[in-house]
Amino acid sequence: QVQLVESGGGLVQPGGSLRLSCAASGSVANFNAMLWYRQAPGKEREFVAAISSGGITSYADHVKDRFTISGENTKNTVYLQMNNLKPEDTALYYCHMRRLATGYWGQGTQVTVSS
């Protein structure tokens, strides 16, 4: 019922910036929250940031002062602005929607931070 498509990933130098987008389609009404997760090679998927349907945001400690999550309801899109990127930010970034008792995942967009 819900499809999530991430975009905006790419290769960036340390200290650079990227803005990720997650476009939602389908039965998106009454969602509870939109979240970003990431997964680096050989590691488990980890929480990055979240925004509730009411606009309340939360962040993992390691990105709190560098990343900003925001939403644009008229476009059914959530964004992740990433500033001062570090090599350890390199990962596949996933969009996740929590709607009622169900969760949905996108396919991910690759972010690589390297010189």
Side-chain angles (χ1 to χ4, degrees), residues 28-76:
V28 299
N30 300 316
F31 78 97
N32 300 118
M34 297 287 289
L35 307 91
W36 287 98
Y37 286 76
R38 68 186 185 187
Q39 187 169 21
K43 295 193 174 184
E44 294 185 346
R45 192 170 299 185
E46 65 176 4
F47 168 78
V48 176
I51 184 168
S52 73
S53 61
I56 301 173
T57 60
S58 62
Y59 301 90
D61 287 342
H62 54 286
V63 305
K64 191 178 191 307
D65 296 325
R66 300 184 295 119
F67 292 8
T68 302
I69 188 171
S70 62
E72 194 167 351
N73 284 344
T74 57
K75 296 183 178 180
N76 295 321

Side-chain angles (χ1 to χ4, degrees), residues 16-115:
S17 299
L18 285 173
R19 189 179 76 157
L20 306 183
S21 299
C22 174
S25 61
S27 301
V28 299
N30 300 316
F31 78 97
N32 300 118
M34 297 287 289
L35 307 91
W36 287 98
Y37 286 76
R38 68 186 185 187
Q39 187 169 21
K43 295 193 174 184
E44 294 185 346
R45 192 170 299 185
E46 65 176 4
F47 168 78
V48 176
I51 184 168
S52 73
S53 61
I56 301 173
T57 60
S58 62
Y59 301 90
D61 287 342
H62 54 286
V63 305
K64 191 178 191 307
D65 296 325
R66 300 184 295 119
F67 292 8
T68 302
I69 188 171
S70 62
E72 194 167 351
N73 284 344
T74 57
K75 296 183 178 180
N76 295 321
T77 302
V78 65
Y79 303 96
L80 184 67
Q81 178 66 47
M82 305 185 295
N83 298 323
N84 192 24
L85 284 162
K86 304 176 180 180
E88 53 262 41
D89 295 319
T90 296
L92 190 64
Y93 283 71
Y94 295 92
C95 180
H96 179 65
M97 173 184 284
R98 295 176 182 173
R99 180 180 178 272
L100 302 178
T102 307
Y104 304 90
W105 292 95
Q107 295 300 306
T109 185
Q110 179 67 40
V111 172
T112 302
V113 184
S114 176
S115 298

